[in-house]
């Protein structure tokens, strides 16, 4: 199968028929063998009925319905598990992404050798104040911390080589950072393509202002987990040692100063409290590191790695 198109959706019943018809037109023009996987993320409108109706007419359309709303990441993750195509395209259900971009994205994977290609909504049809400006900050932070040169990390329209979607797990709200997940999994050829963006035709956006708060917190998590997730002691041990040692030096100085040079109450010196706090925090960080190691050791993923090739085995 050439192509799997994965569409996460939450209350998008109005858009689906039009979206499906447009995708069908594009894939037929290009003669792709394909499937469209619509993941209904617990919609409370008629989305699921619409999906069943579409499937009755076109068996290439497949559906998964969640028991409740779990979020876009969960929907994508489930779609990725089910996908069978050599190339997987994800797109939003609200018709903000254009299916006409599919052949171009697919070509970059198949012919130009990219592992993953992210869309870039260069000209964007969203509210400037609440989305476009915060999104610039957010992308700059993601770019800087991950080293991946993308302008638009969170674009819903993306293309992947099959191997990529089978090797990453999109959880929480990590759909904003799939390029980073792919990079951690060892896929280096991550490209970008300017894509057409359109105003939302039906319905309303499903993400409010919290997206930016959560987005930033998730960025910290992903950078930390990516770097130290499997060796937490290397982070906590280092900083715990630095802080503990600082406290130790302060105390050594206070003791020497007290007995050798002058007589004073140690508790009269502000430095005394800084020393106490440093010792306590240093020990705490060490303990956090040990606990982290215990958790990492018990994790079923402690030894998951991807083997690219083997020879003689
Ligand atoms: N979506 C989803 N689950 C959610 C929220 C959103 O599957 O909990 C889908 C939504 O139906 C749409 C896509 O994710 O297909 C992008 O959402 P939206 O268009 O609301 O985001 P925006 O374009 O405003 O960033
Ligand atoms: Mg949208």
């Amino acid at each position: 199968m050439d192509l799997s198109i994965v569409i996460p959706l939450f209350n998008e019943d109005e858009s689906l028929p039009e979206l499906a018809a447009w995708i069908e037109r594009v894939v037929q023009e290009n003669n792709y063998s394909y499937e469209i996987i619509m993941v209904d993320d617990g919609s409370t409108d008629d989305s699921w009925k619409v999906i069943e109706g579409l499937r009755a007419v076109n068996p290439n359309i497949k559906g998964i319905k969640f028991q409740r709303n779990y979020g876009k990441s969960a929907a994508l993750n489930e779609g990725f598990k089910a996908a069978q195509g050599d190339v997987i395209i994800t797109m939003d259900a609200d018709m903000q992404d254009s299916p006409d971009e599919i052949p171009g994205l697919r070509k970059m994977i198949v012919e130009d050798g990219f592992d993953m290609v992210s869309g870039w909504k260069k000209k964007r049809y969203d509210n400037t104040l609440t989305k476009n400006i915060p999104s610039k900050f957010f992308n700059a932070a993601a770019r800087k911390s991950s080293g991946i040169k993308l302008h638009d990390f969170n674009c819903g329209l993306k293309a992947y080589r099959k191997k990529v979607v089978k090797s990453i797990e999109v959880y929480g709200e990590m759909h904003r950072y799939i390029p980073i997940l792919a990079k951690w999994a060892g896929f280096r050829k991550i490209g970008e393509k300017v894509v057409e963006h359109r105003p939302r035709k039906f319905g309303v956006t499903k993400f409010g202002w919290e997206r930016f708060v959560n987005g930033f917190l998730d960025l910290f998590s992903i950078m930390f987990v990516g770097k130290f997730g499997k060796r937490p002691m290397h982070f906590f041990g280092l900083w715990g040692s630095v802080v503990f040692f600082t406290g130790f030096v302060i105390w050594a100085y206070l003791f020497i100063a007290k007995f050798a040079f002058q007589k004073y109450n140690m508790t009269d010196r502000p430095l005394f409290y800084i020393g106490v706090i440093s010792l306590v925090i240093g020990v705490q960080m060490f303990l956090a590191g040990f606990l982290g190691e215990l958790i990492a050791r018990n994790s079923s993923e402690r030894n998951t790695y991807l083997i690219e090739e083997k020879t003689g085995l």
Side-chain angles (χ1 to χ4, degrees), residues 8-10 12 41 69 93-94 96 131 200 205-206 211:
L9 62 109
F10 178 53
E12 310 278 5
D41 184 12
N69 179 242
D94 55 359
Q96 291 199 273
K131 273 200 187 161
R200 200 180 230 282
T205 178
K206 308 298 182 302
R211 62 165 55 199

Side-chain angles (χ1 to χ4, degrees), residues 135-147 153 216 219 223:
S135 151
K136 284 223 161 67
F137 273 107
F138 165 86
N139 278 300
R143 220 169 17 244
K144 194 116 198 93
S145 50
S146 69
F153 278 78
F216 267 109
L219 183 60
M223 296 317 294

